[in-house]
Amino acid sequence: MIDDAPASQALFDRARRVIPGGVSSPVRAFNAVGGTPRFIARAEGPYLIDADGRRLVDLVCSWGPMLLGHAHPQVIEAVGAAAARGTSYGTPTEPEVALAEEITARMPVERVRFTSSGTEATMSAIRLARGATGRDVVVKFAGCYHGHVDSLLASAGSGLATFAVPGTPGVPESSTALTLVLPYHDRDAVAAAFAEHGDRIACLITEAAPGNMGVITPDPGFNAFLAQTCREHGALFISDEVMTGFRASAQGYWGLESHEGWTPDLFTFGKVMGGGFPAAAFGGRADLMEQLAPLGPIYQAGTLSGNPVATTAGLATLQLATPEVYAHLDRVATTIKDAASAALAAAGVAHQVASAGTMFSIFLTDAPVRDFAGAQRTDVAAYGAFFHAMLEAGVYLPPSAFEAWFVSAAHDDDAVQVVLDALPGAAAAAARAQQGGAA
Ligand code: PLP
């Protein structure tokens, strides 16, 4: 690994003296791939410019939000005008109404409540589900991430229908004692959990398409099966579209499956709908959502929720997210994943390509990946070598083997060409790592 980033190194040294691990969110630290994280000084279109002045084609896009690319002129203009009018009032505003209208126009939700992060959105949706059903148990899938909510940072218990254990120190056992963690795609496990605990299950929450163990393409009908199972047992189905919403397609992953004839009771959104600002939301049917305070008894709140600058950025982003944008994303994603697959195949590296609309992942493993156990078979050392070779060639990939790759409307032919040119060398580096040689 060549690590020639002196300005990033100096910033990282400074950061580690005042910020744990030098980062504000762990995956940014490069622990999974080794080396020094790149500190980014600015970004434009498809590019990040790091503290050393190097331009990198960005295939992370802030972990999803930057659908239009960085510093899109119309978004920046709208944000600048909003900021000039004051950055927060703690009152209702027009931009939050307009963004809620835009979301309800695109998604099958009648009411939307804004939060500042996806974590708050999922936490609040679960509280609403529990309050509305009068039940306490939550079902989730191993490898699906819904933010750092205590009850969802849980690992499976010893049996499929046994309650979970804390997934991290600091989460008390009592917080996960009402969570069931099941293997993704395992219909039998879902049926068994509902057979045993059905009358206590408030909700099942799932990523509409998993993107946090790398992307996993849901089997056709799997989400419909989950929705149906919930309905049969009087539980609510929460589709977490924080990552996939307005990203996998114009209507998120639900849009790709809506022909299957099911609708979640509640959705959670984030990332793209905040246009690069801290904004997220949850939404659903009016009869459920109106159980929230101030109309109903279920408490939920936030000082900066629906912030006027953030909702202006989100609205500008969604208004610019036309069908042509998604068609472009689709083309760019297909070009990159096909080229990556071809380069890895030519280098003799076993791999799997998985997609959820315009999001995709490449797993370095020889078996199709259908769940967390399958994702964990990916060769992380080979990915590290691949990642660093791409970085050296000017491409910023997720610094972890278990993440989605994201493209934007700004990824033009020049940016894509940088990626295509980098792939054969990176595939060769992955092959060398697998053969035990120097990466
Ligand atoms: N849900 C999903 C599917 C996510 O991907 C994430 C974040 O990556 C979250 C929830 C949490 O969102 P946030 O990081 O904004 O708290």
Side-chain angles (χ1 to χ4, degrees), residues 143-156:
C144 280
Y145 177 69
H146 305 286
H148 57 103
V149 180
D150 275 3
S151 64
L152 302 178
L153 287 181
S155 304

Side-chain angles (χ1 to χ4, degrees), residues 117-120 122 145-148 207 212 240 242-243 271:
S117 68
T119 297
E120 284 173 83
T122 59
Y145 177 69
H146 305 286
H148 57 103
E207 289 186 60
N212 282 291
D240 182 352
V242 167
M243 186 184 283
K271 298 194 190 262

Side-chain angles (χ1 to χ4, degrees), residues 23-96:
V23 291
S24 297
S25 197
V27 72
R28 298 179 195 172
F30 276 30
N31 282 4
V33 290
T36 305
R38 293 297 178 273
F39 279 63
I40 301 305
R42 63 192 174 85
E44 56 193 21
Y47 300 107
L48 301 171
I49 292 88
D50 74 12
D52 292 281
R54 286 194 62 198
R55 200 170 77 153
L56 304 167
V57 177
D58 185 11
L59 295 184
V60 178
C61 291
S62 187
W63 304 94
M66 308 319 298
L67 186 85
L68 304 175
H70 295 286
H72 187 286
Q74 281 161 271
V75 178
I76 296 303
E77 193 188 332
V79 163
R85 292 191 292 269
T87 53
S88 182
Y89 324 124
T91 68
T93 66
E94 199 270 344
E96 72 183 324

Side-chain angles (χ1 to χ4, degrees), residues 49-219:
I49 292 88
D50 74 12
D52 292 281
R54 286 194 62 198
R55 200 170 77 153
L56 304 167
V57 177
D58 185 11
L59 295 184
V60 178
C61 291
S62 187
W63 304 94
M66 308 319 298
L67 186 85
L68 304 175
H70 295 286
H72 187 286
Q74 281 161 271
V75 178
I76 296 303
E77 193 188 332
V79 163
R85 292 191 292 269
T87 53
S88 182
Y89 324 124
T91 68
T93 66
E94 199 270 344
E96 72 183 324
V97 181
L99 181 56
E101 286 168 347
E102 181 73 27
I103 292 172
T104 55
R106 288 192 187 217
M107 304 293 284
V109 294
E110 293 172 332
R111 302 286 185 275
V112 177
R113 173 61 64 82
F114 291 110
T115 63
S116 299
S117 68
T119 297
E120 284 173 83
T122 59
M123 178 188 80
S124 303
I126 283 171
R127 182 177 309 142
L128 175 57
R130 284 175 160 155
T133 57
R135 299 174 175 186
D136 50 13
V137 172
V138 173
V139 181
K140 78 173 287 283
F141 291 108
C144 280
Y145 177 69
H146 305 286
H148 57 103
V149 180
D150 275 3
S151 64
L152 302 178
L153 287 181
S155 304
S158 52
L160 283 183
T162 54
F163 287 100
V165 294
T168 170
V171 170
E173 282 179 17
S174 58
S175 291
T176 56
L178 296 170
T179 307
L180 289 167
V181 181
L182 307 179
Y184 194 73
H185 269 145
D186 190 336
R187 291 180 182 224
D188 291 344
V190 173
F194 275 85
E196 193 163 336
H197 303 289
D199 58 349
R200 288 183 62 196
I201 296 175
C203 61
L204 180 151
I205 184 167
T206 182
E207 289 186 60
N212 282 291
M213 47 183 145
V215 171
I216 292 187
T217 316
D219 283 350

Side-chain angles (χ1 to χ4, degrees), residues 258-269:
S258 50
H259 62 278
E260 291 182 353
W262 57 277
T263 304
D265 298 291
L266 294 170
F267 280 96
T268 54
F269 305 115

